[in-house]
Amino acid sequence: MFSRMRLRRIAGALLAPLALLLALPSPSVAAESAADTEVKAAVIYNLLLFIHWSKETAPPKRLRLCVVDGGELSTSLRQHENKTVQGWPLDIRRIAATPEELSSCNVILIEAGNPSALARAAALSRSRPLLVIAEGATAAEHGAMIGLRVEGGRVVFDINTGALAKSGLAASSKLLRLARTLID
Amino acid sequence: MGIRQALLRVAIAAAGLPAVALADNAVSGLSLEDLLKVEVSGASRYAQPLAEAPSTATVVPAEDIRRFGFRDMGEALQSARGVYTSQDRAYSYLGVRGFSRPGDYNTRLLVLVDGARINNPVYDQAMTGNEAPIDLDWVKRLEFVPGPSSVSYGGNALFGVVNAVLWTGSELNGTRIAVDAGDGRMGKFSLLSGGRTANGLAWVAGVAAYGRRGEDLHFPEYAASGGIAHGLDRERYLKGMFKAEWESWQLAANFSERRKSVPTAYYSSVFDRPGNYNIDRELHLDLTHASTLSPSLDQQARVHLGNYNYDAEYPFAAAINRDEARANWWSAEYQLIWSGLRKHRVLVGAEVRRYSRLSQRNFDINPYNSKLEDTHDGNAVGIFIQDEWRIAPRWLANLGLRIDRQTTAPTIASPRMALIWRPRDDLTLKAIGGRAFRAPNDYERHYADGGDSQKGNTELRPERIRTREIALDYTPTASSRLGLSHYWYTIRDLIDLETDPADDLSVFRNQAPVRAEGLEVDGEILLAGGWRVRGSMAWQRVTQDTGDAVNSPGRLGKLLIDGPLPLAGEGATLGLNLQAMSARRSLLGRAAGHVTGDLTLRSRSTTSGTWSLGLYNIGDLRYRDPVGNEQAPIDTLLRDGRQWRLRWELAL
């Protein structure tokens, strides 16, 4: 009743182009990745330069940026690893939002479509210094200190100054000026 | 220098910056001010973050699919509160908010793959089991949005929308191979490969092949004919997928063929005779384009081509009967997203679907006797508008309206209003009200088999649902979350199968109103040591003039625990999935309540791959699902007992 020959023919037809694709030049991400993630990654790196960490809140040796369930953006962010941020070398980590992993981060980046991770990171940031950056149009309203989004084909960001203050952090006046909206 | 970089230069030049600023290192050398002027491309900007969705959404990421050893979409979605599955050894069914009519093909649920509708147009069927056109190994995450969503998607979105987001090439950047073995001589091979070429083309390709011989099954209802269906639970599928993204364009192609033999002798065919089977074949081609027109105006366009083939055979005493359905269709969709007005984000769009062929045939093969030759075409048109209005800093309103018109239904308006209030940082409250509809489908209107069992009804009116919901989401600490939802809905003109006493034939008719009320609670807590505990309870009551609805459990409970597997090294995990369901009414009696448990152990990842062992229904519990009257004399059907699956995965 199940025609093996037919399935085999279909399998052959499907696998042939697949084999061809596998033979394509090996993928290279670092050289040229999608423009929007590259720009976002560069914006994130630049944002870190303008966040004020007080003596009490400053990270000891390295500034660790954790990406929750990271996709493309974390690949682009890798280009900024080990660059210096206010004297600290930058660490990039992909994490799965467990408490252990969260506790080692200074900065958390949450990509779009992950509301529970955002809520969790936002709650954690109320009890200790933790910079929460999230993608999405209403991310800043949902507890992110910096909400990244694309508007009119440009990357823009919103700042939640109240959330920043609760975590013992502050944004430079330059950042506040460049932000699309400020939420208290 | 690639085209991408050249375009980026042009964009930056247009933004009034010297293009020289872009050296080889593209954007990473730019200052923040300049970065904010760079024009970007890519589809991700349109990805609707679920946090702002006017509903209570659930996300099942690929990591959960692996940790809990979910084998199909239905099983994965069952981890969400208030969702339950049932099956009849032909297809799988998903129940949401206490609603899942036996013999109905998930018609009130809309399934999307990367945002494209895949319910087939003859039966409106949303496939969530092995019959689904995609393989679970291709899924990056499943998004489930309960509640009416016709305001965004038109018909079928009565109880919810499932969106399967597939991996993209740049996320994969490599190859994944998985080999499965399981009981009933089950074997599966899947390969998924993707990457990005030097000139900026991201591609991903996947293929999955599955086969299961199955067990000999015992049906006491057929004791007179021996009661055992020998080797008639076979299943086999082959699925393929290819997706390419370049600049602002994305092209996706998907093929699937699933063959299932049916052991239940449904539609009164001969019991324990081979040759009762069904085959579903689907082909989807999808082209999307997303770009920016002006600083405050974005556009998105989609063209979709679909082809569906259904073939089934029934061995009757007198002859072998064959059932066929064929559908060809295309759809086009265009959206504009305008953010030019302060505090508003407005989306307007239009969608056209053209069914060039919807045909159904039924005939006896030998001697040939045609019972149904029915071919139609049809159209559906929808226009929609949605406004996301930030009334005040902590208040967001989401207002939408969609107007649909299609060949088989009058003009229907589907509004939705949602008000979202965040009085505190850790608390979100939502009030949602909306309407959704489903037009009668070709099968319900025209299927007839020459007076043997069923007749058509072209007088059917569309069914409509009206839903109200209040929801709360509370995140007191970084490691805990609590969600609560209370909903009410009324379905008018529900389309359901009944028997016409005049000729004893089954026919679809509009039914008296169905009313329901439900309460859902779910919580999640992260414990020390990496353990995560999630649980949910749902209470629901669905009533109609004949009493409680069929296949509608009053209570559903779930407990999912996952964490590091002790003594197995760093990275090894354990996932336990407990599902409890209270008794359900069946057409003639009832199916008892049950608690089942699935356990999945996963080794740490090494260069020689990752092993996992899944044990399903560990307690070997014998529990049953209510089934439709086409399965008579069977009223409730036994589900699978204890099962196992051994899986080996390798990432290259």
Side-chain angles (χ1 to χ4, degrees):
Chain A
M1 145 192 140
F2 292 122
S3 151
R4 279 164 195 273
M5 281 311 290
R6 199 193 153 80
L7 271 176
R8 238 175 244 163
R9 268 210 309 277
I10 297 164
L14 271 168
L15 282 169
L18 196 69
L20 200 74
L21 279 163
L22 290 171
L24 281 172
S26 73
S28 71
V29 157
E32 295 191 77
S33 77
D36 64 333
T37 56
E38 218 167 295
V39 174
K40 273 187 187 165
V43 167
I44 290 165
Y45 170 73
N46 274 273
L47 289 169
L48 297 180
L49 304 176
F50 300 101
I51 294 293
H52 180 68
W53 302 75
S54 70
K55 262 196 190 126
E56 297 77 44
T57 60
K61 289 198 188 91
R62 300 175 69 88
L63 188 76
R64 177 167 291 176
L65 190 161
C66 301
V67 188
V68 177
D69 297 328
E72 254 179 290
L73 190 51
S74 69
T75 313
S76 301
L77 269 168
R78 289 263 171 222
Q79 297 175 36
H80 301 276
E81 187 154 28
N82 289 323
K83 279 190 181 176
T84 314
V85 176
Q86 306 178 45
W88 302 294
L90 184 63
D91 257 358
I92 312 276
R93 281 285 168 94
R94 274 193 198 198
I95 63 162
T98 63
E100 281 69 29
E101 289 172 318
L102 282 171
S103 67
S104 70
C105 312
N106 306 111
V107 185
I108 271 192
L109 173 67
I110 293 145
E111 293 185 39
N114 202 342
S116 66
L118 175 55
R120 193 170 297 148
L124 188 65
S125 73
R126 290 193 288 274
S127 60
R128 73 169 186 84
L130 177 69
L131 180 65
V132 181
I133 306 176
E135 278 187 289
T138 56
E141 291 177 15
H142 285 84
M145 295 162 194
I146 299 175
L148 271 185
R149 59 196 160 95
V150 173
E151 195 181 284
R154 309 271 194 283
V155 174
V156 299
F157 60 88
D158 310 310
I159 293 186
N160 186 328
T161 50
L164 270 171
K166 273 182 197 151
S167 202
L169 304 173
S172 77
S173 57
K174 175 175 171 173
L175 226 49
L176 296 176
R177 183 165 45 79
L178 290 174
R180 183 59 56 104
T181 42
L182 292 178
I183 295 162
D184 195 17
Chain B
M1 186 178 68
I3 287 174
R4 254 215 123 90
Q5 217 163 326
L7 282 176
L8 200 62
R9 271 191 196 193
V10 172
I12 290 183
L17 283 166
V20 195
L22 270 186
D24 270 357
N25 211 355
V27 295
S28 65
L30 295 181
S31 72
L32 188 54
E33 286 92 333
D34 293 344
L35 279 169
L36 300 178
K37 290 174 191 154
V38 174
E39 186 152 340
V40 295
S41 60
S44 58
R45 83 190 85 156
Y46 299 99
Q48 282 285 326
L50 291 175
E52 62 190 55
S55 62
T56 48
T58 304
V59 179
V60 185
E63 182 58 25
D64 281 6
I65 293 173
R66 291 200 198 100
R67 281 196 175 198
F68 292 102
F70 297 137
R71 295 168 295 181
D72 60 38
M73 275 205 279
E75 219 167 59
L77 292 165
Q78 200 176 214
S79 64
R81 69 185 187 195
V83 178
Y84 59 104
T85 61
S86 54
Q87 60 111 343
D88 61 6
R89 299 204 178 266
Y91 295 100
S92 326
Y93 310 102
L94 207 65
V96 178
R97 294 187 169 176
F99 202 94
S100 178
R101 307 285 302 165
D104 148 68
Y105 300 104
N106 291 338
T107 54
R108 297 166 187 97
L109 200 71
L110 182 65
V111 175
L112 313 170
V113 172
D114 281 333
R117 163 191 284 264
I118 57 160
N119 287 51
N120 77 59
V122 180
Y123 305 100
D124 270 342
Q125 185 173 8
M127 295 176 169
T128 55
N130 279 339
E131 64 273 20
I134 55 160
D135 191 81
L136 204 55
D137 289 341
W138 307 340
V139 173
K140 183 192 173 194
R141 66 168 192 269
L142 282 175
E143 299 171 349
F144 174 60
V145 179
S149 284
S150 282
V151 63
S152 306
Y153 301 102
N156 302 97
L158 272 72
F159 286 103
V161 177
V162 175
N163 185 21
V165 181
L166 306 189
W167 290 101
T168 66
S170 17
E171 285 162 353
L172 272 178
N173 195 29
T175 301
R176 288 178 192 179
I177 297 166
V179 180
D180 296 6
D183 56 291
R185 284 205 245 155
M186 185 277 273
K188 184 187 156 190
F189 170 79
S190 112
L191 186 146
L192 183 67
S193 190
R196 184 187 286 275
T197 62
N199 55 10
L201 176 88
W203 60 273
V204 56
V207 61
Y210 169 97
R212 186 170 188 270
R213 189 196 173 274
E215 316 282 354
D216 294 347
L217 298 169
H218 178 236
F219 298 95
E221 293 86 348
Y222 289 106
S225 333
I228 293 177
H230 293 89
L232 298 182
D233 194 32
R234 290 163 183 262
E235 184 169 24
R236 197 179 273 250
Y237 71 65
L238 183 68
K239 300 171 185 177
M241 172 269 278
F242 176 73
K243 192 157 81 163
E245 286 167 80
W246 193 72
E247 302 284 321
S248 50
W249 294 87
Q250 179 181 297
L251 179 70
N254 175 207
F255 157 85
S256 69
E257 176 177 277
R258 204 274 309 230
R259 296 162 170 248
K260 178 78 180 71
S261 66
V262 184
T264 57
Y266 63 166
Y267 297 105
S268 310
S269 50
V270 181
F271 181 73
D272 196 26
R273 181 172 299 177
N276 189 349
Y277 68 89
N278 54 49
I279 306 173
D280 291 273
R281 280 191 213 98
E282 285 189 51
L283 200 60
H284 295 272
L285 271 175
D286 191 65
L287 179 71
T288 57
H289 170 74
S291 62
T292 294
L293 294 170
S294 85
S296 57
L297 198 60
D298 292 323
Q299 64 172 351
Q300 188 176 25
R302 177 190 295 276
V303 178
H304 192 94
L305 266 161
N307 170 259
Y308 173 68
N309 289 276
Y310 166 78
D311 292 277
E313 280 187 11
Y314 306 91
F316 289 109
I320 292 175
N321 181 264
R322 197 174 166 85
D323 219 11
E324 290 180 0
R326 301 282 180 268
N328 291 321
W329 72 99
W330 61 263
S331 72
E333 195 186 312
Y334 183 77
Q335 296 189 1
L336 280 171
I337 301 155
W338 182 59
S339 49
L341 208 61
R342 225 171 76 85
K343 296 187 173 177
H344 288 269
R345 211 161 71 109
V346 182
L347 183 151
V348 291
E351 186 188 359
V352 182
R353 278 201 298 278
R354 165 78 192 150
Y355 304 111
S356 52
R357 182 186 182 196
L358 295 170
S359 73
Q360 297 182 86
R361 281 181 79 196
N362 184 280
F363 55 95
D364 286 344
I365 294 177
N366 195 8
Y368 181 78
N369 175 19
S370 174
K371 297 178 170 181
L372 174 70
E373 283 276 356
D374 181 78
T375 301
H376 298 268
D377 59 352
N379 302 309
V381 186
I383 51 169
F384 49 99
I385 181 161
Q386 217 167 305
D387 181 21
E388 203 179 274
W389 175 24
R390 199 150 306 151
I391 310 167
R394 288 183 174 275
W395 291 84
L396 186 76
N398 192 307
L399 310 165
L401 179 69
R402 176 162 165 145
I403 312 274
D404 280 279
R405 198 184 162 81
Q406 62 192 75
T407 316
T408 52
T411 305
I412 295 176
S414 309
R416 180 174 65 192
M417 289 172 64
L419 191 62
I420 299 155
W421 180 40
R422 288 175 42 84
R424 289 160 40 173
D425 287 353
D426 53 7
L427 190 64
T428 307
L429 297 164
K430 294 178 181 181
I432 307 154
R435 291 180 189 215
F437 77 98
R438 181 176 76 89
N441 59 47
D442 212 52
Y443 168 67
E444 290 159 341
R445 282 169 57 90
H446 301 297
Y447 186 82
D449 52 5
D452 283 349
S453 68
Q454 195 170 326
K455 62 179 179 180
N457 179 4
T458 50
E459 304 294 308
L460 285 170
R461 296 181 300 279
E463 59 184 31
R464 300 159 190 242
I465 191 170
R466 196 163 76 187
T467 305
R468 285 172 295 148
E469 183 182 357
I470 49 170
L472 173 150
D473 202 71
Y474 179 49
T475 318
T477 69
S479 53
S480 56
R481 195 191 73 81
L482 183 78
L484 203 115
S485 157
H486 194 174
Y487 64 80
W488 300 261
Y489 65 76
T490 307
I491 307 174
R492 288 185 200 283
D493 289 335
L494 176 80
I495 298 168
D496 204 2
L497 206 57
E498 60 177 54
T499 305
D500 188 339
D503 48 18
D504 223 23
L505 291 176
S506 296
V507 61
F508 283 97
R509 293 226 169 105
N510 291 105
Q511 307 288 321
V514 176
R515 288 174 217 282
E517 180 176 357
L519 183 70
E520 295 176 341
V521 186
D522 72 324
E524 177 177 349
I525 189 155
L526 301 168
L527 302 170
W531 288 89
R532 180 172 57 150
V533 180
R534 280 181 288 167
S536 69
M537 270 304 295
W539 295 265
Q540 54 232 345
R541 178 105 199 254
V542 183
T543 50
Q544 53 195 116
D545 54 352
T546 52
D548 285 348
V550 170
N551 194 16
S552 174
R555 294 183 308 282
L556 280 171
K558 296 163 201 298
L559 184 67
L560 285 96
I561 301 172
D562 67 293
L565 184 61
L567 310 174
E570 180 105 6
T573 60
L574 174 156
L576 179 68
N577 175 7
L578 296 172
Q579 301 270 338
M581 197 189 289
S582 66
R584 289 167 284 173
R585 219 189 107 186
S586 63
L587 290 176
L588 304 172
R590 68 199 286 272
H594 64 263
V595 181
T596 59
D598 301 344
L599 178 72
T600 300
L601 309 172
R602 199 156 182 269
S603 79
R604 65 199 179 96
S605 304
T606 64
T607 47
S608 58
T610 310
W611 289 89
S612 62
L613 175 67
L615 296 168
Y616 305 87
N617 189 3
I618 319 168
D620 201 18
L621 195 86
R622 298 176 67 78
Y623 67 108
R624 308 176 81 90
D625 281 338
V627 289
N629 65 3
E630 73 280 6
Q631 300 280 5
I634 300 172
D635 179 51
T636 59
L637 195 59
L638 195 67
R639 286 285 280 260
D640 285 316
R642 188 184 299 120
Q643 290 189 304
W644 58 272
R645 182 183 75 163
L646 187 65
R647 185 174 175 86
W648 174 75
E649 290 164 275
L650 185 67
L652 296 169

